[in-house]
Amino acid sequence: MADKRDFYEVLGVSKGVSDDELKKAYRKLAKKYHPDVNPGDKEAEKRFKEINEAYEVLSDKEKRDRYDQFGHAGVDPNFGAGGGTGFEDFDLGSIFENIFGGGFGGFSGGGARASRHNAPQRGESVRVSVMLSFEEAAFGCEKEISINRTEKCDKCGGSGAQSGTSPETCPTCHGSGQVKTTQKTPFGVFSSSSVCPNCRGTGKIIKNPCSACRGVGFVKRQRKIKVNISQGIDDGQTISLKGQGGAGINGGPSGDVYVTISIRPHPVFTRQGPDVIVEMPITFVQAALGDEVVVPTIDGKVSYIIPEGTQTGTVFRMKNKGIPNINGRGRGDQFVKVTVEVPTNLSSKQKDILRQFESDNGEKHYRNCNGFFDKMKNMFK
């Protein structure tokens, strides 16, 4: 644990960070260090795993609370079975109820919270980030992802005991996983529960630990699973794979896998929800005289008529040429914003032709220029 960096430091956030800011910081770093963006870079791969581990803990309220209180030890897979501090099982609510609710007699506190060590617990959730191309996100695809998750040990079947043996009931707590201590105070006799130091809250003693899992009953394994990504998914959205995460404890359900989508920038297209935006240059002559041009779309090349007199910045709408909607109903539009490119490196003959055009009552052809100069004249009257 000592060699691990602080999870808040890993994600570059402060301790009181909101869920939205935490997610934003994670997405930014995951996209920066994703293996697809840094092929063969071992340092980036190591950083990417570190980022995912930090986010997996800090995005889970229960894990985050344990981490804030106990540091890395609080989110160690063996923490629940490790030696307890006694504080997490001390039921202050029951104490105050007895002090102020009528009666200073003895009582038993902490039973409900201490019992959680033996109660079924949901397995850990696993969070990964997947990088998609613009087209993969638009039309959907299948991706194979690699995850590290906790699984029951195959050798001992999750018992933690060596093959041919079985765990025994703890003689100290008699299988309850907790021990009680009684203390006399001026307010009465108080009983508090704490984790059994002998079995570390499990209620069982393993005299012959399994050699594969060292008595834990669980092992970490890397698995590859396939993810079906729906058409129209957007950057930052998350897919939930139920029951594909870590194995549950004490018969609890398995956790989930959360796949956060990152979309690689496209050299031509940008996206606004289901709509596609394209900025396309046209020549001065095409803008003035009109022309039939070829426009790129996510479906391929499409012919489009540019009308004469088109001004720079004009936006044309191509209906139903955008991203398919994620619910499968219809699709967005494509918007083409044209930029008129002024010619450079003109020859003397070309310059003379343009000067002749300008002098030949050229002002009547420029509606915006004339309007602007009329307003300027009125300003300085």
Side-chain angles (χ1 to χ4, degrees), residues 22-306:
L22 182 71
K23 186 175 183 179
K24 191 180 295 183
Y26 165 73
R27 282 176 55 194
K28 181 179 178 181
L29 290 171
K31 187 175 285 190
K32 180 179 178 181
Y33 292 102
H34 198 284
D36 288 351
V37 180
N38 305 277
D41 188 337
K42 294 296 182 184
E43 190 61 34
E45 183 180 344
K46 181 181 176 182
R47 187 87 166 83
F48 182 71
K49 289 179 180 178
E50 184 183 43
I51 291 161
N52 275 285
E53 182 184 11
Y55 184 67
E56 180 186 337
V57 170
L58 298 185
S59 61
D60 185 303
K61 186 180 184 305
E62 185 179 339
K63 289 182 181 179
R64 184 170 173 176
D65 288 343
R66 292 205 308 265
Y67 179 75
D68 287 346
Q69 188 173 5
F70 302 108
H72 290 294
V75 289
D76 188 294
N78 299 321
F79 177 71
T85 63
F87 294 110
E88 69 270 28
D89 299 310
F90 202 91
D91 196 340
L92 292 175
S94 296
I95 291 176
F96 287 124
E97 181 182 352
N98 279 270
I99 293 176
F100 299 109
F104 297 122
F107 68 97
S108 175
R113 296 188 69 184
S115 64
R116 70 184 181 185
H117 292 282
N118 285 327
Q121 296 179 40
R122 186 180 185 84
E124 63 179 351
S125 294
V126 179
R127 296 182 182 272
V128 295
S129 177
V130 170
M131 182 75 72
L132 303 180
S133 69
F134 194 92
E135 290 81 4
E136 285 175 330
F139 297 114
C141 62
E142 183 181 81
K143 286 285 184 179
E144 186 176 71
I145 62 173
S146 179
I147 63 170
N148 288 307
R149 69 184 179 191
T150 303
E151 298 182 359
K152 279 187 178 181
C153 175
D154 293 332
K155 192 167 184 179
C156 67
S159 71
Q162 192 172 344
S163 180
T165 67
S166 58
E168 299 177 5
T169 300
C170 175
T172 303
C173 65
H174 306 291
S176 68
Q178 55 186 297
V179 291
K180 295 181 180 179
T181 56
T182 302
Q183 182 181 8
K184 290 183 179 181
T185 74
F187 298 105
V189 179
F190 295 143
S191 295
S192 62
S193 296
S194 61
V195 175
C196 175
N198 192 28
C199 66
R200 298 182 177 180
T202 64
K204 297 183 182 298
I205 295 293
I206 300 173
K207 290 187 176 180
N208 298 298
C210 170
S211 58
C213 65
R214 299 180 181 179
V216 177
F218 297 89
V219 292
K220 277 277 190 181
R221 287 201 178 95
Q222 188 176 69
R223 296 292 187 189
K224 291 186 181 294
I225 57 177
K226 290 184 178 179
V227 186
N228 288 316
I229 297 171
S230 301
Q231 63 178 14
I233 198 163
D234 210 345
D235 191 72
Q237 290 185 325
T238 298
I239 300 169
S240 174
L241 304 177
K242 298 292 184 184
Q244 298 277 5
I249 301 171
N250 298 328
S254 295
D256 302 328
V257 173
Y258 296 100
V259 184
T260 300
I261 301 299
S262 295
I263 301 177
R264 191 179 297 112
H266 195 277
V268 174
F269 305 122
T270 55
R271 180 174 171 176
Q272 290 182 0
D275 295 327
V276 174
I277 314 298
V278 175
E279 290 198 14
M280 181 173 171
I282 59 174
T283 68
F284 171 78
V285 175
Q286 286 175 320
L289 304 181
D291 195 10
E292 182 176 357
V293 297
V294 176
V295 178
T297 74
I298 59 174
D299 298 308
K301 298 176 181 178
V302 174
S303 293
Y304 193 84
I305 302 296
I306 299 290

